Amino acid sequence: MTYEAQLDALAGGLIGAFAESDAVGPDDGPQAGLFTAGGNASLPASGAAGRGGLASSITVNQAVDPARGGSLALLRSGGMNGSDYADPAAGGDAAYAGRLRGLLASLSAAQTLDPAIGLGGAAGLPGLAASSAGWLEAQRKDASVEASYQKTLLARASEALSNAAGVNGDDEAALALQLERSYSASAKLIGVVNDLLKTLLDAVR
């Protein structure tokens, strides 16, 4: 479950980093921006319990998805949750980049993490993603080492059992090969003797 919790933390971090703020009073609080939890505008809880399953439900906000009638311009200007959430500084300036720079800063900002997921207490999203990938690779290596150890242990146990029972696989194989060679030599000898007897009988007749 730890890796699933790490993915949920990443999903929650992405939703929070791209959240929109209410720029017009009264403040209705932040809402999900570019990413949402299954289309829900509300932000997920910051704790691990409130982020369970986020990795499987995170989706792009319909308001900014051209395939669903959205507008990519809202990523620059804000307003995915209505005009109150638009960046007042953007106006109609198509070259405005202040909000985009703010989003980049949010991605790198340290976020508090649940120590139980194994990635420390705080990290920015790029660091969290890198740490999670490193954690997964470490788990893979540990599993590979353990599998190799178990394979070796099984081979040693099988060898010990064979020796204790008086049966050695290598010795049995060598003995079988010797018997096969002896049988082959005997068959050739019998063939030669049979030919000699046949020749002798033919001469007597």
Side-chain angles (χ1 to χ4, degrees), residues 15 19 41 51 60 75 85 90 93 131 142 187 197 200 205:
I15 294 173
R51 293 186 170 185
V60 175
L75 184 59
Y85 286 83
D93 184 3
S131 296
D142 289 345
L197 287 175
L200 179 61
R205 291 175 186 172

Side-chain angles (χ1 to χ4, degrees), residues 185-197:
S186 298
K188 289 182 180 179
L189 180 59
I190 291 174
V192 171
V193 171
N194 182 63
D195 291 341
L196 288 175
L197 287 175

Side-chain angles (χ1 to χ4, degrees), residues 7-134:
L7 293 179
D8 288 338
L10 273 169
L14 280 171
I15 294 173
F18 285 92
E20 292 186 327
S21 299
D22 189 347
V24 179
D27 188 355
D28 290 330
Q31 298 286 325
L34 177 61
F35 297 106
T36 70
N40 191 341
S42 299
L43 295 180
S46 58
R51 293 186 170 185
L54 272 185
S56 62
S57 65
I58 186 172
T59 183
V60 175
N61 194 326
Q62 181 176 345
V64 78
D65 184 1
R68 294 184 288 171
S71 172
L72 287 173
L74 294 179
L75 184 59
R76 172 190 60 81
S77 63
M80 300 175 204
N81 294 284
S83 58
D84 286 359
Y85 286 83
D87 187 341
D93 184 3
Y96 177 72
R99 174 172 164 73
L100 295 179
R101 285 194 291 267
L103 292 175
L104 288 175
S106 295
L107 286 173
S108 301
Q111 301 187 25
T112 302
L113 303 174
D114 183 349
I117 67 176
L119 298 178
L125 286 176
L128 175 57
S131 296
S132 182

Side-chain angles (χ1 to χ4, degrees), residues 116-205:
I117 67 176
L119 298 178
L125 286 176
L128 175 57
S131 296
S132 182
W135 180 90
L136 185 61
E137 175 62 15
Q139 297 300 307
R140 185 198 66 78
K141 286 184 178 180
D142 289 345
S144 178
V145 170
E146 178 64 18
S148 179
Y149 169 74
Q150 293 296 335
K151 183 178 180 180
T152 302
L153 187 63
L154 177 60
R156 297 286 175 82
S158 298
E159 182 180 353
L161 178 61
S162 296
N163 291 336
V167 178
N168 185 283
D170 291 339
D171 292 343
E172 289 297 312
L175 180 58
L177 183 59
Q178 290 178 0
L179 289 174
E180 181 181 354
R181 289 174 177 172
S182 297
Y183 174 80
S184 179
S186 298
K188 289 182 180 179
L189 180 59
I190 291 174
V192 171
V193 171
N194 182 63
D195 291 341
L196 288 175
L197 287 175
K198 184 178 179 181
T199 301
L200 179 61
L201 290 174
D202 290 341
V204 170
R205 291 175 186 172

